[in-house]
Amino acid sequence: MAETRRIPLPVEAASAGDLRCVGSCEGWLAVVRQKKARYLGDGACFLVNPFSREVINLPPPFVSTHLVDVYTRSLPIINGSGVVDCTIHAAQYVMSFCKVILSSPPGSGSAYTVAAISVHRNGAKLALWRPGMTSWCICYGGCISKFSDVAFYQGKFYILSKLTTNLFAFEITEDDCGMMVSRVERCVTELPQVKDSYGQRWNMVEWHGKLLLVVRYIGGSEGWHNICKVSVFVVDVSTNPFRFTEINSLDGDCIFISPCSSMSFPACQYDGIEDDLVYFIDGYLFPAKNGPPFDRFVYNMRDCTLAPFAADISDDNFRAPDGRLMSPTWFFPSE
């Protein structure tokens, strides 16, 4: 982490204007172009591989290309209350993506799904897309507006509530009208409490075919030095309520977590990376222009200690030329 270098984007991507990176999947970045005023939403969205120079344009997140053939489905939340409303070919909507995840990278040989969380004017929506679709499938409901983190796992899409540790499982199918959510279920979860902690922050990441929940117990004001405990749990999704098993080893692997992306992989793949460590870039999905720099710290699962890392990298590397704090995203190309 002692050196940084800039990788230019392909011309068609770089010419898009004011760009924000909102996610990554192996060698691919998810990028949006901001309009001049944030309340106007995003102007474009695309996937780009900076090394192969390939660009995949996604439907614009501000207006549908269809004014007819609107298809809507309202789904009650099983084992919960409320509904989730989903619409394909909505006449008009304004989106501002803050986190985009993929079920698998493009070109991996399997069909992939893109899931994007939009937060605009304090309202959150879920947007879903698959290759061949000309517009997003837009979903909204109480379980979406209170999201903490999202993940694909075993063919389902999961949203974790930031108010409770409830997980909401979305089943996605395709019919004659295109991709659509077919079922939403509230999966009750119960986490152990930690003395002297007033809050928790959660992240989900897949590890060796298992779903992990990484929990930071906060004991004071924000900042890594006020974290009183970090726990890593394996989530058993075959039971209801879900069963949590805390682990203290990643069997030679490590985890990287940032506001827009999380990933686990063998530590031996990269020089200078150690096993049984969880590397954090801690921040917000929409950082303030003049906000403080992001915390960068690492948690050692072997001895339960926290320490800063990459302290020798200037905070200027995380800011745009106008001084605005950018959303950092972990990026691990496969080549």
Side-chain angles (χ1 to χ4, degrees):
M1 299 293 291
E3 298 180 1
T4 61
R5 67 185 179 102
R6 298 183 182 274
I7 301 174
L9 293 177
V11 174
E12 60 268 40
S15 61
D18 189 8
L19 302 179
R20 266 188 311 120
C21 185
V22 290
S24 69
C25 181
E26 296 188 11
W28 292 83
L29 294 172
V31 182
V32 296
R33 177 176 61 82
Q34 292 186 154
K35 293 186 176 180
K36 290 184 177 180
R38 176 167 290 179
Y39 66 87
L40 295 175
D42 296 327
C45 183
F46 55 89
L47 305 175
V48 57
N49 189 314
F51 299 96
S52 70
R53 321 296 287 175
E54 186 177 356
V55 176
I56 299 175
N57 290 303
L58 305 180
F62 61 93
V63 64
S64 174
T65 57
H66 293 262
L67 297 179
V68 295
D69 299 329
V70 176
Y71 175 40
T72 299
R73 178 180 291 180
S74 185
L75 298 164
I77 299 176
I78 298 173
N79 294 330
S81 59
V83 298
V84 172
D85 294 304
C86 302
T87 303
I88 300 177
H89 306 325
Q92 186 174 1
Y93 51 87
V94 177
M95 306 284 279
S96 187
F97 292 158
C98 60
K99 182 165 187 174
V100 175
I101 63 173
L102 282 71
S103 60
S104 60
S108 61
S110 60
Y112 66 94
T113 301
V114 178
I117 292 291
S118 166
V119 177
H120 184 262
R121 293 185 180 273
N122 297 322
K125 291 182 175 65
L126 167 66
L128 299 168
W129 178 87
R130 280 179 180 168
M133 295 175 61
T134 57
S135 65
W136 297 89
C137 173
I138 308 299
C139 307
Y140 59 91
C143 63
I144 298 171
S145 63
K146 300 177 178 63
F147 86 98
S148 173
D149 200 14
V150 295
F152 282 107
Y153 180 64
Q154 292 184 349
K156 295 182 181 181
F157 175 77
Y158 287 91
I159 292 183
L160 180 64
S161 169
K162 66 181 179 181
L163 298 181
T164 66
T165 51
N166 287 332
L167 272 171
F168 295 88
F170 286 59
E171 295 185 13
I172 302 172
T173 58
E174 289 200 28
D175 55 25
D176 294 338
C177 297
M179 184 185 66
M180 176 58 72
V181 177
S182 59
R183 174 186 170 97
V184 181
E185 181 178 4
R186 171 179 170 263
C187 307
V188 180
T189 62
E190 296 179 0
L191 279 178
Q193 299 298 312
V194 172
K195 184 179 180 181
D196 298 328
S197 68
Y198 80 90
Q200 302 170 9
R201 299 186 71 176
W202 308 285
N203 293 95
M204 294 184 290
V205 60
E206 187 171 353
W207 170 69
H208 287 295
K210 300 175 182 178
L211 183 63
L212 297 185
L213 183 64
V214 181
V215 185
R216 282 161 283 166
Y217 296 91
I218 311 298
S221 59
E222 293 292 336
W224 72 269
H225 51 281
N226 288 314
I227 296 175
C228 56
K229 182 177 174 60
V230 177
S231 297
V232 180
F233 298 94
V234 174
V235 185
D236 184 353
V237 300
S238 65
T239 63
N240 195 353
F242 286 174
R243 184 181 299 113
F244 291 89
T245 303
E246 188 169 4
I247 59 175
N248 54 20
S249 172
L250 294 172
D251 297 334
D253 291 357
C254 57
I255 295 174
F256 279 73
I257 290 175
S258 70
C260 295
S261 63
S262 300
M263 187 175 180
S264 68
F265 54 84
C268 61
Q269 288 186 0
Y270 294 89
D271 293 337
I273 303 301
E274 297 183 41
D275 62 327
D276 293 336
L277 299 186
V278 183
Y279 295 85
F280 292 92
I281 293 181
D282 199 17
Y284 298 93
L285 293 171
F286 281 114
K289 179 176 180 179
N290 298 314
F294 293 98
D295 281 334
R296 304 186 292 275
F297 60 96
V298 59
Y299 172 69
N300 190 321
M301 296 179 63
R302 295 186 296 269
D303 58 16
C304 302
T305 57
L306 288 164
F309 81 95
D312 52 347
I313 296 180
S314 171
D315 292 328
D316 292 339
N317 286 287
F318 296 90
R319 294 185 183 274
D322 63 358
R324 175 172 46 87
L325 197 64
M326 298 183 291
S327 297
T329 302
W330 289 117
F331 178 50
F332 299 99
S334 55
E335 299 180 357

